[in-house]
Amino acid sequence: MEKKDRVLNSSDLSLEALAKLTPDEVLEILKKGNEDFVNGNLTVRNNSQRVRDAALGQKPIAVVLSCLDSRLPVEDIFHRGIGDIFVARVAGNIINDDILGSLEFACKASTAKLVLVLGHEHCGAIQSSIEDVKLGHMTNLLSKIKPSVCIVSEYYEGEKSSRNPDFVKNVSIENVKHSIREIRAKSPILKEMEDKGEIIITGGMYNMHRGKVVFMDAG
């Protein structure tokens, strides 16, 4: 059932109210938004008005690093609208210098208080890395997923191939954790912000069948 716009929109917050919003509260907003998405509690938004309101500025509360996959409508998954969240997308939700720079911009130069690395089941990039695909620029991209394939292969007892959805899912989970570790290790800016409690860096796995995000950390 669709409902009138009742969801917290970051563009509606004053800078003072946004400053008082804690990273934990932002995480809860995304969790609640995902519950709304799973349960079909959708909000009717006046997007034409929101486009005009957001034209001269933005105050996103979080940044999501998502896979390129077209089946992940990131704003919808968290019941967010125009101007609410930054979204960085790259196949396999991997970390590179440009992605790190984008995450740093979102948190240090702008208003995001949460970094969420979002993986998913049935990921084509994960499957391609498992199969050691070599093709153009994909070769370098897929090499960044290889460490996760190797880690899971050491303990996984079933079929270790892209044809096994459970193996692919386990590698996808490890790949999210790997990206989180890469963020902390390679971005002193984001690591310091996290240590000071200014942001949260966390991960999640999207269930393709239910639309549910299971949140997790690097472990």
Side-chain angles (χ1 to χ4, degrees):
M1 177 184 296
E2 292 188 338
K3 299 183 179 181
K4 292 298 182 182
D5 198 339
R6 54 170 176 73
V7 178
L8 171 66
N9 301 312
S10 62
S11 57
D12 296 334
L13 293 174
S14 67
L15 288 175
E16 181 181 6
L18 188 62
K20 292 180 180 178
L21 197 63
T22 69
D24 285 322
E25 289 172 332
V26 172
L27 181 58
E28 287 305 311
I29 289 170
L30 294 193
K31 287 181 177 180
K32 176 59 171 62
N34 183 241
E35 288 179 10
D36 289 340
F37 176 71
V38 171
N39 296 322
N41 295 328
L42 305 178
T43 295
V44 177
R45 289 185 169 97
N46 185 340
N47 282 331
S48 296
Q49 183 60 47
R50 298 202 76 199
V51 166
R52 293 191 291 272
D53 291 344
L56 298 180
Q58 59 176 340
K59 294 175 286 185
I61 58 174
V63 54
V64 179
L65 170 57
S66 167
C67 181
L68 186 69
D69 197 293
S70 64
R71 297 168 292 178
L72 273 70
V74 177
E75 284 88 352
D76 289 340
I77 286 171
F78 298 108
H79 203 180
R80 299 291 92 205
I82 296 168
D84 286 340
I85 58 175
F86 289 109
V87 180
R89 303 194 71 144
V90 61
N93 40 272
I94 56 93
I95 295 298
N96 59 30
D97 286 346
D98 294 326
I99 290 293
L100 277 178
S102 297
L103 300 182
E104 289 173 351
F105 172 83
C107 297
K108 191 67 175 180
S110 191
T111 53
K113 298 189 176 186
L114 175 78
V115 177
L116 173 64
V117 181
L118 184 64
H120 66 98
E121 300 172 306
H122 315 302
C123 178
I126 299 293
Q127 292 170 329
S128 296
S129 184
I130 290 171
E131 295 302 321
D132 202 26
V133 170
K134 299 287 195 298
L135 180 63
H137 292 288
M138 285 176 57
T139 304
N140 183 51
L141 185 150
L142 296 176
S143 71
K144 294 177 172 61
I145 301 173
K146 271 296 181 182
S148 299
V149 178
C150 293
I151 289 172
V152 177
S153 295
E154 288 180 359
Y155 68 79
Y156 192 83
E157 297 181 353
E159 179 185 357
K160 302 171 186 177
S161 81
S162 63
R163 297 181 298 275
N164 181 354
D166 186 61
F167 181 64
V168 174
K169 180 179 178 180
N170 274 269
V171 175
S172 297
I173 292 171
E174 180 58 39
N175 187 55
V176 169
K177 294 178 179 180
H178 179 70
S179 289
I180 294 172
R181 292 191 293 267
E182 288 278 280
I183 293 170
R184 290 172 175 153
K186 294 183 176 181
S187 174
I189 290 174
L190 295 176
K191 181 63 167 62
E192 181 182 25
M193 292 184 75
E194 183 182 42
D195 289 344
K196 290 181 176 179
E198 297 171 351
I199 63 170
I200 289 175
I201 303 172
T202 190
M205 275 291 292
Y206 178 70
N207 183 298
M208 289 285 200
H209 304 282
R210 298 178 53 226
K212 178 70 174 176
V213 175
V214 177
F215 289 84
M216 59 186 183
D217 198 0

